[in-house]
Amino acid sequence: AVVSTQSTGIYWSDGKADSIEVASYDGKFRNSVINTDMESPRGVALHPKQGRMYWTDWGRNPMIESSKMNGDDRKAIITSNIAWPNGITIDYSEDKIIWVDAKLDTIETADLDGQNRRVIENVDVVHPFGATLYGDEIFWTDWGRKSVEAINKHGTKRRTVYSGINQPMNIFAQSEQTGTSACSTSHCNDGICIHTSEQDRVCMCERGVTPDDKGSCDRVPQIYVALTDEIVSLDGSKPLTPS
């Protein structure tokens, strides 16, 4: 899972449902952002300032894709020389993606559109899984070495941070973008505020509910129960008065 500090949502991939999901910090307003043409999604990374998200998919056609944080404008940006892409993270200072490949045993980077791709490290990398960036250092978990490894993002000063870990999974570092955002200056009345660009945002409600033009989630009950003196929706919301 990954948290957007400038929006109001938590994003995660579901490899069983083949989807990328979002929910508010308290778990409400859950919705699918991407749930089509996806086989085995794994890592998810967010670039809130630009309103975009990036994810890895290691299915039969492995790739790295990108879309707006609400799922629009979907693009495949890395489709060749890729096998088992796992963890992915963003270098906000240089606007680059960084990812690990567990079959090629590489740590790689590219521009946000997939151009200017290069290998940062491919020596003594054995099944990397999670990846994150803190300062100028990339940290990754390595199943084969049973360790947490680190290297400068320019490919120097490789070091083992911690060893003797049995199958380490994801790794996270606290990283926030500074400045204001569309969500900080224009709130949603209800639901989740999601960036779609540096200036724009959309409001997203839970599945089956569409926000109105003011960003409120109007929930129209679909099933009603008749009691002795009133009619209520199945979820127990406001009773209806029979006419």
Side-chain angles (χ1 to χ4, degrees):
V2 62
V3 176
S4 171
T5 57
Q6 293 193 5
S7 294
T8 56
I10 303 171
Y11 288 74
W12 70 92
S13 65
D14 189 324
K16 189 78 171 178
D18 294 333
S19 65
I20 294 177
E21 308 274 316
V22 66
S24 57
Y25 297 151
D26 58 4
K28 297 179 180 178
F29 309 114
R30 179 179 175 179
N31 210 330
S32 294
V33 181
I34 301 284
N35 59 9
T36 59
D37 299 323
M38 186 177 290
E39 193 170 351
S40 297
R42 181 60 65 83
V44 180
L46 303 177
H47 198 314
K49 188 174 181 180
Q50 295 196 5
R52 297 198 69 85
M53 68 176 182
Y54 299 81
W55 67 92
T56 59
D57 190 320
W58 58 279
R60 287 171 293 180
N61 297 303
M63 66 182 71
I64 296 176
E65 293 190 77
S66 172
S67 76
K68 291 185 178 181
M69 287 171 58
N70 67 338
D72 291 347
D73 192 30
R74 181 176 176 179
K75 301 174 182 178
I77 59 173
I78 301 287
T79 58
S80 61
N81 298 319
I82 189 168
W84 292 349
N86 267 332
I88 186 169
T89 190
I90 304 287
D91 181 353
Y92 297 125
S93 66
E94 297 191 17
D95 280 337
K96 292 183 179 293
I97 56 171
I98 298 168
W99 73 96
V100 299
D101 192 305
K103 187 172 184 180
L104 302 181
D105 293 333
T106 56
I107 316 298
E108 300 192 49
T109 185
D111 294 342
L112 297 178
D113 59 2
Q115 299 299 308
N116 297 314
R117 176 179 176 179
R118 69 179 179 89
V119 175
I120 296 174
E121 179 67 295
N122 59 2
V123 177
D124 291 330
V125 179
V126 190
H127 203 113
F129 192 91
T132 192
L133 180 72
Y134 185 74
D136 286 339
E137 271 194 304
I138 301 165
F139 294 80
W140 74 92
T141 56
D142 195 304
W143 284 15
R145 293 175 61 86
K146 296 184 177 181
S147 64
V148 174
E149 302 288 315
I151 194 170
N152 183 279
K153 65 183 181 181
H154 302 296
T156 61
K157 301 179 181 179
R158 168 79 180 269
R159 64 191 179 100
T160 298
V161 179
Y162 200 88
S163 59
I165 312 172
N166 185 30
Q167 206 172 68
M169 305 294 279
N170 288 328
I171 186 169
F172 303 94
Q174 184 175 353
S175 177
E176 296 185 5
Q177 290 181 299
T178 59
T180 60
S181 67
C183 285
S184 64
T185 57
S186 179
H187 298 285
C188 296
N189 292 333
D190 203 357
I192 308 170
C193 185
I194 294 178
H195 291 272
T196 53
S197 72
E198 194 166 352
Q199 296 83 25
D200 300 318
R201 62 96 173 116
V202 297
C203 299
M204 182 175 286
C205 305
E206 66 268 30
R207 289 188 183 96
V209 179
T210 301
D212 60 22
D213 56 3
K214 295 181 180 180
S216 295
C217 299
D218 290 331
R219 300 166 184 83
V220 179
Q222 300 297 314
I223 302 176
Y224 303 95
V225 178
L227 303 179
T228 56
D229 56 352
E230 62 182 1
I231 298 175
V232 299
S233 68
L234 195 60
D235 62 3
S237 60
K238 291 182 180 180
L240 301 177
T241 303
S243 56

